[in-house]
Amino acid sequence: MPIAAHVPNTLALLLAAGLACAATAASAHPHVWVTAKAQFVYQDGKLVGVRDTWSFDPEYTAFVTQGLDANKDGTLSPDELAGLAAENTANLAEFGYFTKLKVGGKEQAFADPKEPAMRLEGKALVMSFLLPLKAPVQKGRGVAALEVYDPTYFVAFSFAEGADAATLAGAPQGCAATVTRPKTEQPRTAEAGSPGMTEAFFDALTAASSYGVQFASRILIACP
């Protein structure tokens, strides 16, 4: 796969083990596609964390897993992927793990991630990690709203179809999850050369940009 002549700072830092190099020379965004799932983790009636699970597109999967079959048995075990999982999860910190959670309209802070893991499911590399909340949230503090997106749109996130897109673990009785899709349809590619869609435009985007949020799906958690 050709390596891009330049790579946005977001991805160069985000997935140092290879995602940055997965960008092709073609001038188009996004470069990587992720199907996301989220599990809201409760203890003693309090929301204590969010477990992200991301399934990467087959092209990226094939690229980033090259050379990781240490025992040459033709398969990749979770143990062989453990180092990649830990490195990638750690490199997400600067970008807030592409995960934003608000409760009652107030943004919540995450502590360091736990339980980074990777596995192969068919042709898809699946990465998961737990984001503990720095301060657990009591029931009754308002609706919880979760968004997972890349502000620079180098990576396109979308929540999975079906009930397992948003799940609850240990939640109080009556809590329910709802997935809402963006009003702005996510394009397959945003081609350079289109009005406002040059590579310079995307290269200028940072983790503080708001471009990618227009394509973000949202999970809402309401408890009685």
Side-chain angles (χ1 to χ4, degrees):
M1 180 180 297
I3 296 177
H6 55 85
V7 178
N9 289 336
T10 297
L11 267 297
L13 295 172
L14 166 62
L15 300 182
L19 180 52
C21 299
T24 68
S27 296
H29 279 63
H31 291 285
V32 181
W33 296 81
V34 172
T35 301
K37 298 178 182 179
Q39 182 183 64
F40 293 76
V41 181
Y42 290 79
Q43 289 182 359
D44 300 323
K46 299 178 182 178
L47 178 61
V48 297
V50 175
R51 187 182 305 279
D52 277 319
T53 300
W54 300 346
S55 178
F56 292 91
D57 65 80
E59 184 179 20
Y60 168 64
T61 295
F63 178 85
V64 78
T65 56
Q66 293 179 75
L68 295 182
D69 185 10
N71 60 9
K72 310 299 181 184
D73 66 351
T75 62
L76 285 173
S77 68
D79 286 343
E80 288 172 317
L81 293 168
L84 183 63
E87 182 177 7
N88 284 0
T89 301
N91 287 333
L92 286 164
E94 183 173 348
F95 309 99
Y97 307 95
F98 289 160
T99 303
K100 182 174 290 188
L101 175 68
K102 293 183 178 180
V103 178
K106 182 178 180 181
E107 187 165 351
Q108 304 299 303
F110 293 114
D112 292 341
K114 297 181 178 180
E115 303 171 19
M118 278 184 173
R119 64 185 184 276
L120 279 177
E121 291 186 358
K123 295 183 178 181
L125 179 66
V126 179
M127 173 178 169
S128 64
F129 52 92
L130 175 65
L131 288 174
L133 288 172
K134 287 186 175 180
V137 179
Q138 287 270 19
K139 187 180 75 167
R141 298 285 293 276
V143 173
L146 180 79
E147 293 176 325
V148 179
Y149 67 94
D150 175 7
T152 71
Y153 200 50
F154 194 96
V155 181
F157 289 91
S158 61
F159 279 111
E161 300 292 339
D164 61 347
T167 56
L168 308 177
Q173 188 173 2
C175 293
T178 303
V179 178
T180 63
R181 307 289 174 177
K183 293 181 180 179
T184 303
E185 184 177 355
Q186 186 164 271
R188 184 60 192 173
T189 58
E191 298 289 346
S194 299
M197 295 298 177
T198 64
E199 280 297 285
F201 168 80
F202 286 108
D203 288 348
L205 298 177
T206 69
S209 301
S210 60
Y211 180 81
V213 71
Q214 66 184 306
F215 306 118
S217 296
R218 177 181 293 181
I219 298 174
L220 302 176
I221 307 294
C223 295

